[in-house]
Amino acid sequence: MRPDRSPRSADAPPRRVAIVLMSAVGSTVQGMPIVASLRRAWPAAHITWVLQPGPATLMAGRPDVDRIQLFHRRLGARAYSRFRREVAAETFDLVICLQPNFKGGVVTRLLRAPKRLGHDRTRARDLSWLATNRRIPSAPVAHIQDELFEFLDHLGVPRRLEWRFHFTEAEREVSARWRERFSRPVLAVVPRSSNARRNWTLEGTARVIDAAAGDLGLQPVLLGGDSEEELRDARRLGELCGAPPRVALGGTLRELAGRLYASDLVLAPDTGPLHMAVALGTPTIGLYGYTDPERSGPYGRFTDLTVDRFRGRAGADVERKPSRDTRRRRMSRIRVEDVMLKLERAMRSYLNT
């Protein structure tokens, strides 16, 4: 591989930059500090971010991104031919591939640029390193946010841990009116991730909802999408709970972000709304068993509120890091008592301040 001559702080900044990070909502939130840092370091650069249509709605009104280029994943194989047609006339000085998998590699290769920066070969999956000609140095596995920050370090760009959703005044008024419907502190409960293995039991969730309402004086409200699975879970929780929670499912991603911002506390498994809530500054209790919170948990804040059963309870499991087979059962190891302790801590440490 040729020597790395990626732009650094002492060099002239690139004029046209493309960022490839088109995974789900959580990854999009993790990309926000990257574009904010690049914009501050390279104010004159034209920055394009390749995103899927859903997460792209979260980026509305961002002054640090000049253009959103959509990748229509739902089209399957035809998504790549459509993307190729749409970017055929575009050229860039630098492409930064933050998505080290097959899809990210193909999209990166379709963007014309003399410099394509990606992960090192060890961390680049599906041979995606073949799409890049510049790579960040190899490093131990770390939190995904830190891994993305390594790209800034490599480029000589100062890190900025900045999440801003750039709500319009109208959006702020809508979320404020939504919050006024509740007289008690709102506990936003997100019961479901798109990956069912990350979900806690509905029976445990129902018991926490009842205790939060009856013992802690909170108003539980179900948040999330309006898929068939989420609506079914909401109906089941209504049956399991002594006092059914309020339901506010559906709406756009930006409406969901506004409700998470207006809530007082959030309870969620490892899912996009969890990362949105953390970025918005709403105290968030994260439920982890299937995924590793040290890699994909809340970053920079509210780590003291994470329920971690990925490694089991201290002294209870000989195995520190579970195997692929045993981690499937880890979410069921979360106890109601574990979650209530975190809720009580959140109220003491955050609501009272």
Side-chain angles (χ1 to χ4, degrees), residues 7-329:
R8 298 185 185 274
S9 57
D11 301 328
R15 293 174 298 176
R16 294 180 60 80
V17 179
I19 298 171
V20 177
L21 183 59
M22 49 192 178
S23 296
V25 171
S27 298
T28 303
V29 172
Q30 291 163 343
M32 288 180 177
I34 307 305
V35 295
S37 301
L38 292 175
R39 172 58 69 209
R40 176 60 66 94
W42 301 336
H46 185 282
I47 298 177
T48 296
W49 190 347
V50 182
L51 281 167
Q52 293 186 55
T57 61
L58 286 178
M59 300 299 104
R62 290 192 69 87
D64 45 20
V65 178
D66 297 288
R67 180 187 174 206
I68 298 295
Q69 173 63 53
L70 297 180
F71 177 80
H72 298 272
R73 177 186 176 186
R74 293 181 181 274
L75 295 178
R78 291 183 293 124
Y80 297 99
S81 57
R82 175 170 175 173
F83 182 82
R84 182 174 186 173
R85 290 194 303 271
E86 291 177 348
V87 301
E90 300 287 335
T91 58
F92 300 93
D93 300 304
L94 172 67
V95 174
I96 305 174
C97 179
L98 302 178
Q99 187 165 331
N101 58 16
F102 176 82
K103 181 174 64 175
V106 173
V107 167
T108 296
R109 199 65 186 90
L110 292 175
L111 295 168
R112 293 193 297 166
K115 299 174 182 177
R116 299 183 301 277
L117 177 64
H119 285 75
D120 57 281
R121 290 181 61 169
T122 302
R123 291 180 287 180
R125 304 185 302 276
D126 308 328
L127 299 178
S128 58
W129 59 269
L130 291 171
T132 60
N133 55 14
R134 306 288 192 277
R135 289 156 207 152
I136 61 174
S138 179
V141 174
H143 194 286
I144 294 172
Q145 189 69 68
D146 284 321
E147 194 171 287
L148 298 184
F149 276 141
E150 290 177 37
F151 283 81
L152 300 180
D153 299 340
H154 187 69
L155 294 167
V157 171
R159 299 182 179 192
R160 292 180 61 83
L161 187 56
E162 178 183 303
W163 293 291
R164 298 183 63 188
F165 286 72
H166 298 279
F167 292 118
T168 65
E169 190 60 36
E171 287 174 328
R172 291 182 183 277
E173 290 177 0
V174 168
S175 61
R177 288 198 299 271
W178 177 83
R179 179 60 181 84
E180 289 171 356
R181 295 162 54 187
F182 311 107
S183 58
R184 294 184 291 169
V186 170
L187 170 64
V189 179
V190 182
R192 170 173 284 272
S193 163
S194 58
N195 183 343
R197 294 169 181 169
R198 300 181 182 185
N199 298 336
W200 192 33
T201 65
L202 291 180
E203 291 76 13
T205 302
R207 289 178 61 191
V208 168
I209 287 174
D210 281 341
D215 300 336
L216 301 183
L218 300 174
Q219 174 59 68
V221 181
L222 300 185
L223 293 185
D226 57 358
S227 67
E228 180 180 342
E229 294 81 5
E230 288 165 297
L231 294 174
R232 183 183 65 231
D233 285 355
R235 291 192 295 269
R236 181 58 179 155
L237 285 171
E239 297 169 354
L240 292 171
C241 292
R246 303 283 287 274
V247 178
L249 299 176
T252 67
L253 271 177
R254 290 191 67 82
E255 289 172 337
L256 173 58
R259 292 169 184 171
L260 291 168
Y261 178 72
S263 297
D264 298 280
L265 298 170
V266 174
L267 173 67
D270 183 9
T271 186
L274 175 142
H275 297 286
M276 291 166 62
V278 172
L280 289 161
T282 304
T284 301
I285 296 92
L287 306 179
Y288 282 78
Y290 184 73
T291 52
D292 185 355
E294 291 186 6
R295 177 149 177 83
S296 61
Y299 185 86
R301 52 175 72 146
F302 312 133
T303 55
D304 59 322
L305 303 181
T306 298
V307 178
D308 180 6
R309 288 293 171 263
F310 182 76
R311 291 173 178 81
R313 298 189 298 278
D317 293 299
V318 175
E319 181 185 33
R320 171 171 168 74
K321 185 175 181 180
S323 66
R324 184 176 295 274
D325 290 332
T326 60
R327 63 190 275 206
R328 298 173 186 270
R329 301 188 293 271

